[in-house]
Amino acid sequence: MSPLQRIRNNLGPGLRRIMHTLRFIRLSTVVAGTGRMLHSFLFVPDDDVPRVKPDYSHMSVPQRMFARAADMFDFKIVFLIGLVFMAFSLRNVIAELPYLIAERKFIAFDELIPIFDLQSQYFDQISSGYSDLTATNEIRIRYSALTTWTRYAPIIYFSLLIVNAIAYTLMVFATTRFLSVSAHLRERTGEKARLLTATLVNLPLFVLLLYAKITHYYTLILGLALLYLAFVLTLELFLAQGRVKRKAAVIFLLVLLNPAVHYHLLYYGITAFIWLFFFAGALTRRIPFRRFIMSTLLYVLISAVSIGVYALFLFGADSVYSSDNLNNVAPVNYFLLENSSTPLHHVLALNLYSPVDNYYFQSYLPPEPNVVNALFLVVAFLPLVYLLGSRVIRRWERADRLGLMYLPVLALSLFSIYMALGLTFSGSIHSLLIDNIDSPFFQTTFGSLVLKAFQTFVSVIRFPHRFQLIYLMTLSLNASLGLLLLYKAVRNRQVMLNLRQPVTVLKAVFSKRAFLYMLSFALLVVPFFNTTLTRTVIVSGDWNGIFSPFAVDGEEILAEIVQDDERVFVAPYLEHNNFIVDEDGNRHRFIDKFWIYLLNRPGSYYGLGGDALNKLNSFLSSGRHCTKISGG
């Protein structure tokens, strides 16, 4: 033991907590500074347009009320909507906050485990990637080091609310920017109409995402929101609009600071895919060719630098990661690919793989798909009908760059459906490569490089159903565009109310805008509440008992375990949908990693990872204790 470690162990728990808090404050300062810099980049418009104070004098009282409410609606209100929704869905947890902060009660579900000691459960694991505490490769803590600290026990209950509200706001902001790319839409739709449309469409999609990925809210949900924004800004970069250098700098930060490694690789893949469409637009002079070449060079530069920086951190000399050890760290085999491939009807129904469904149905997908959610895909095709109907395919000037930004996203949406099918479709890339892996092509040098690249891609992405998240993103953008065009059509064809005559509240409610938005809200939000389980989980206040705070019993047994330095505590692997049944027939959920973290003693966690010694420890363990195995 080094002198530094000896001094650290001799420090009292209070002083250690102070040191951890100071380190957390320093990390929070860096994150806050980065957020302020991004805000200055993103929320300052390219063109400074003077704001004119609205005039409500010619309006009646009900119309003035709706107009003032619309003018007050901004991204602060969007953040408040997300915060209120999270507080409502976790209101029973908030009621127990005094006990949770005092660590007299806890919440734990699947892999959402509080971090009780920052040194052993966070800093030590991100420094090497291998945890002596759990005897396995803590890959999710290392690659998501930027946000895993939000699971620290004193703040996890607040970060559940704030981080998810920020993610929802970023999703709405990215969609609003997407709707503002085309001058055709900016001239014919108001800023508030675009913002409200993005808010309405993203609300049910956020509920769906939260239901499926709440256990990884700090990586998968927040990371997808950052991917939303990086993707939309990349569209603007390819269109050579505005200050491309500033956009390139923001994209670089968004990609580099994304807390999920999957989104890093997915970003490069999907942006390279849509670049082909914009290259065709540059060749046909829909985009200024020289500016497009500059944008492409900036895109290549930020991609190369971000890949290099992230790979240096992830695969550094002090890490257990390497190209040869990748499959051992994150094992991928045929059965994993088969179990994580999504049937077409579930993809179209927006049924994401969810630990909540696994908890109730012993399967990550529900028994029956929620087919009515395919309505989003129908709305997403409305812009295509508009483009074909207005002959924009032959006369691009009528819609500016509306088609040029819509068609690549639509193609990416269909491509993500194809990739999410995995081994459920015999014509998928996964099935074709597996069936033809012994072909002469893959014996050549070029073929072996292609196979190696695909193997690395699969090892990082791991699950084909990750592409459902890309489908969700593209659906959000195109469905918002379709709804906005529907609003435009209603506005152009509906008779205006006579403002000089008395207008009742009923007429104001069913005016052109209010009626359309209420109809949109009913069509796009209600489908997510048409299943009893979804409605029960969201409305219950503690996710139907999943996040119900609980106290820890059996202090005598825990004290015996902690005092025993010669043995290691091995918990049964029951973190998902398994239960322990007592003599009275009551079921108890047992999460092994929670107890290892709570006791903060070396254990053996049979979770994610392919370390052979860890599997051997778990296999040979029996009873409550087992002798610790060491060696190679």
Side-chain angles (χ1 to χ4, degrees):
M1 181 182 297
S2 65
L4 183 61
Q5 290 178 336
R6 192 178 296 110
I7 294 174
R8 185 183 299 162
N9 294 336
N10 291 332
L11 294 176
L15 188 55
R16 283 202 304 269
R17 183 175 289 272
I18 292 175
M19 293 177 61
H20 295 159
T21 304
L22 291 176
R23 191 174 295 183
F24 163 71
I25 292 174
R26 184 174 61 183
L27 182 63
S28 301
T29 304
V30 175
V31 173
T34 306
R36 286 193 297 269
M37 183 170 59
L38 288 175
H39 182 277
S40 64
F41 272 125
L42 296 174
F43 287 88
V44 176
D46 291 333
D47 300 322
D48 296 329
V49 179
R51 294 183 175 274
V52 180
K53 187 176 180 179
D55 181 19
Y56 306 110
S57 58
H58 63 285
M59 298 182 181
S60 62
V61 175
Q63 288 182 328
R64 189 181 301 126
M65 178 182 64
F66 283 108
R68 288 184 182 275
D71 288 331
M72 292 174 58
F73 192 75
D74 57 8
F75 291 104
K76 296 177 183 178
I77 303 297
V78 174
F79 174 78
L80 186 61
I81 291 174
L83 195 62
V84 170
F85 174 81
M86 290 302 306
F88 172 77
S89 65
L90 295 171
R91 61 188 182 278
N92 294 344
V93 179
I94 297 175
E96 301 280 357
L97 268 181
Y99 300 99
L100 292 169
I101 296 176
E103 296 187 3
R104 295 172 58 185
K105 289 186 177 182
F106 309 92
I107 62 171
F109 176 65
D110 198 70
E111 295 185 42
L112 185 58
I113 307 298
I115 293 175
F116 299 100
D117 186 271
L118 281 176
Q119 186 62 48
S120 62
Q121 299 167 17
Y122 178 66
F123 292 111
D124 289 347
Q125 295 181 16
I126 66 176
S127 62
S128 64
Y130 185 88
S131 172
D132 294 328
L133 186 66
T134 58
T136 188
N137 305 315
E138 291 288 356
I139 60 176
R140 282 184 174 149
I141 291 185
R142 182 169 177 84
Y143 74 60
S144 61
L146 292 173
T147 54
T148 304
W149 55 268
T150 59
R151 281 172 39 198
Y152 188 41
I155 64 172
I156 185 175
Y157 317 106
F158 302 99
S159 67
L160 264 171
L161 307 179
I162 298 173
V163 172
N164 285 305
I166 292 174
Y168 173 64
T169 306
L170 288 175
M171 291 167 62
V172 174
F173 177 68
T175 307
T176 305
R177 285 195 71 103
F178 177 77
L179 297 177
S180 304
V181 170
S182 172
H184 177 77
L185 286 179
R186 289 198 304 269
E187 294 171 358
R188 291 163 177 79
T189 57
E191 178 184 355
K192 299 301 180 181
R194 296 192 295 270
L195 175 58
L196 188 54
T197 301
T199 303
L200 289 177
V201 173
N202 279 281
L203 181 60
L205 294 177
F206 174 72
V207 172
L208 175 63
L209 184 64
L210 191 71
Y211 177 86
K213 306 300 180 184
I214 190 171
T215 54
H216 299 98
Y217 70 95
Y218 55 95
T219 54
L220 294 182
I221 294 181
L222 180 61
L224 184 62
L226 293 175
L227 181 65
Y228 261 55
L229 189 52
F231 177 75
V232 172
L233 291 177
T234 306
L235 288 177
E236 297 181 13
L237 183 67
F238 288 158
L239 284 170
Q241 285 189 346
R243 304 171 185 176
V244 293
K245 294 181 180 179
R246 187 178 71 177
K247 285 186 174 66
V250 176
I251 293 170
F252 171 75
L253 290 176
L254 291 173
V255 174
L256 189 62
L257 298 179
N258 199 302
V261 65
H262 323 96
Y263 295 135
H264 284 258
L265 197 57
L266 287 172
Y267 169 80
Y268 306 127
I270 63 178
T271 50
F273 176 82
I274 65 169
W275 178 88
L276 299 174
F277 291 85
F278 289 97
F279 179 65
L283 291 179
T284 56
R285 298 182 181 181
R286 311 301 178 189
I287 305 174
F289 190 78
R290 290 185 178 180
R291 289 180 61 85
F292 176 75
I293 294 299
M294 178 182 294
S295 300
T296 301
L297 293 177
L298 288 173
Y299 164 72
V300 172
L301 177 63
I302 61 177
S303 299
V305 175
S306 59
I307 289 175
V309 173
Y310 197 78
L312 185 63
F313 168 73
L314 196 62
F315 300 98
D318 59 343
S319 173
V320 297
Y321 299 89
S322 67
S323 58
D324 298 330
N325 194 37
L326 188 59
N327 195 52
N328 185 42
V329 174
V332 177
N333 52 43
Y334 179 86
F335 299 102
L336 183 141
L337 292 176
E338 185 180 38
N339 292 330
S340 59
S341 299
T342 314
L344 180 60
H345 54 281
H346 280 295
V347 176
L348 298 180
L350 297 176
N351 294 130
L352 302 177
Y353 275 62
S354 170
V356 177
D357 286 333
N358 190 41
Y359 176 79
Y360 286 104
F361 304 121
Q362 289 72 53
S363 172
Y364 284 98
L365 291 173
E368 297 294 332
N370 195 8
V371 182
V372 70
N373 291 337
L375 174 66
F376 273 96
L377 186 60
V378 175
V379 179
F381 271 98
L382 289 179
L384 183 62
V385 177
Y386 174 82
L387 292 174
L388 295 175
S390 58
R391 298 180 182 178
V392 177
I393 300 299
R394 286 179 290 177
R395 292 192 295 172
W396 288 82
E397 67 277 6
R398 289 192 57 184
D400 187 49
R401 292 167 178 173
L402 180 61
L404 193 56
M405 75 174 188
Y406 166 72
L407 295 177
V409 179
L410 179 62
L412 179 61
S413 182
L414 299 177
F415 178 73
S416 60
I417 294 176
Y418 168 77
M419 292 297 295
L421 297 177
L423 297 180
T424 62
F425 176 48
S426 59
S428 70
I429 187 171
H430 298 81
S431 300
L432 293 176
L433 284 176
I434 290 176
D435 294 340
N436 299 279
I437 195 170
D438 296 327
S439 66
F441 170 75
F442 291 114
Q443 308 305 320
T444 63
T445 303
F446 178 74
S448 61
L449 290 176
V450 172
L451 186 60
K452 181 66 175 178
F454 183 75
Q455 288 175 343
T456 304
F457 177 83
V458 171
S459 296
V460 176
I461 300 298
R462 300 193 76 218
F463 309 119
H465 66 70
R466 301 277 190 205
F467 283 92
Q468 285 185 275
L469 300 173
I470 305 300
Y471 175 59
L472 187 76
M473 178 186 72
T474 56
L475 211 58
S476 167
L477 300 177
N478 284 340
S480 299
L481 181 59
L483 186 61
L484 190 64
L485 292 175
L486 181 62
Y487 157 74
K488 175 178 174 293
V490 171
R491 187 189 66 176
N492 291 341
R493 287 168 174 76
Q494 191 172 6
V495 179
M496 295 290 293
L497 295 174
N498 190 347
L499 299 179
R500 296 182 179 180
Q501 296 179 358
V503 181
T504 63
V505 176
L506 186 63
K507 287 184 179 180
V509 169
F510 286 95
S511 64
K512 54 181 182 179
R513 296 184 183 182
F515 173 75
L516 179 62
Y517 288 143
M518 287 191 297
L519 177 63
S520 305
F521 188 84
L523 290 176
L524 300 179
V525 177
V526 171
F528 288 97
F529 293 91
N530 62 358
T531 61
T532 304
L533 178 59
T534 305
R535 183 171 59 251
T536 303
V537 167
I538 298 299
V539 178
S540 63
D542 55 7
W543 285 58
N544 202 25
I546 288 177
F547 291 117
S548 178
F550 60 90
V552 173
D553 300 325
E555 287 82 358
E556 299 81 3
I557 298 177
L558 297 180
E560 177 187 351
I561 295 172
V562 172
Q563 292 174 1
D564 193 345
D565 293 332
E566 300 298 327
R567 296 185 178 183
V568 59
F569 178 68
V570 179
Y573 179 56
L574 297 173
E575 72 176 7
H576 293 299
N577 57 350
N578 300 309
F579 297 88
I580 295 177
V581 182
D582 59 21
E583 297 178 354
D584 299 328
N586 299 317
R587 298 195 309 171
H588 303 276
R589 189 170 73 247
F590 193 98
I591 303 177
D592 48 358
K593 195 171 186 178
F594 168 77
W595 291 100
I596 294 174
Y597 272 33
L598 180 64
L599 299 174
N600 200 28
R601 304 289 293 181
S604 184
Y605 168 62
Y606 190 80
L608 180 68
D611 183 71
L613 182 58
N614 170 262
K615 304 307 179 190
L616 183 61
N617 277 332
S618 300
F619 177 76
L620 296 177
S621 63
S622 60
R624 187 178 293 115
H625 300 83
C626 77
T627 303
K628 186 175 182 179
I629 299 175
S630 60

